[in-house]
Amino acid sequence: MRILVTGGAGFIGSNLCTRLVKQQENQIICLDNLQTGSLQNISELMNLPNFEFIQHDIVDPIILTVDKIYNAACPASPPAYQADPVHTLKTSVIGMLNMLELAKRNNATLLQFSTSEVYGDAQVHPQSEEYWGNVNPDGIRSCYDEGKRAAETLCFDYRRMYGTKIKVIRIFNTYGPKMNSEDGRVISNFVNQALRGEDITIYGDGSQTRSFCYVDDLIEGIVRMMHTPDDVTGPVNLGNPGEFTMLELAQKVLEKVPCGSKLTYRDLPKDDPKQRKPDISRAKVLLNWEPKVSLDAGLDKVIKYYRGVHIRMDNGSVEAYATSSEQWSGDCQHRISG
Ligand code: UDP
């Protein structure tokens, strides 16, 4: 089985590659333009005989022989996808077209990584797949939201026109190891701010809600979706229905990393959704899937991971990262420069 993972050096993509290479019969081709992904995320996979990395931007066509395609390529953090919004839109639309053409040519199954952002600033709560969403077409989030919506449309049109085997998942907020500490998203920000003893940045009044899924749970749902029969196309929501305000999240982080950080308030970014929580009934029925890792347990894991990243950045040694995080006692120090 030749499996292509686009965005395979990114946060979710690299966790997926790590899972897929464990099956020796799988040959994994990891494609990434390294815009937000990093070789560090796949360093432990690079020497495996069933893993291959190609630096490539899916906006440019590519011809490969593959059986399955996981299309995860796209910057997903608001600061990252807003840095070059035109390229973000190209990734979702032109990149999607290129991957659908590749799937069609190979008669491969393509699983598209869509997003809860297709629901925009939702007026229905929780969000089920039937909800069409409330998206600003002209705002600063539109390059991501509208791009991902158009990508879904392309998937279903390729299926209707050419019978291409497609599957669409809508991923809600996800966190875990390999999310870049400078990514700009809320859990990586709060945990790293707390570890450095810096103030926790609350955008707006902190009453907005999100539902956070630990990455291992998400990967399990993704792989199950890929293994469904051809007539199961989705869209299927994948996320953890536990819903928290950003103030509640900050409180949890402060309890776990008691470095005396205070809360500091910043402007709420434009079009920031007020509440988000997945209805995962469809995933339960189709995939027999639901998340198992609570936010508390997941935060403990991710705090341990970021402590390891601090060590790695201090002395540049990956070995120290792997072995010393248990004994780490460097909390509350301003350790990361730049
Ligand atoms: N947020 C925050 N402080 C931060 C980063 C984010 O309060 O340092 C808020 C942000 O405004 C949003 C929520 O946390 O309401 C989740 O933001 P994130 O960027 O993680 O994901 P998304 O907005 O795409 O759901």
Side-chain angles (χ1 to χ4, degrees), residues 31 56 77 101 126 129 135 156 262 268 290 300 307 334:
L31 223 67
H56 180 84
S77 168
E101 280 299 316
E129 294 86 349
V135 172
F156 286 96
K262 308 239 173 336
L268 187 68
E290 65 183 314
D300 289 342
R307 283 180 176 135
H334 294 260

Side-chain angles (χ1 to χ4, degrees), residues 76-79 81 116-117 141 144 173 179 183-190 193 200-204 206 208-210 212 246-247 249 266-269 272-274 276:
S77 168
Y81 70 65
S116 57
E117 288 286 330
R141 295 177 87 100
Y144 187 74
N173 296 64
M179 179 181 268
D183 181 82
R185 273 178 289 188
V186 69
I187 290 191
S188 50
N189 273 8
F190 284 7
Q193 287 162 347
I200 305 276
T201 52
I202 304 279
Y203 298 167
Q208 70 272 35
T209 68
R210 292 293 187 274
F212 298 103
M246 296 311 100
L247 281 176
L249 176 67
R266 302 267 169 84
D267 289 344
L268 187 68
D272 198 278
K274 280 170 221 48
R276 184 181 291 155

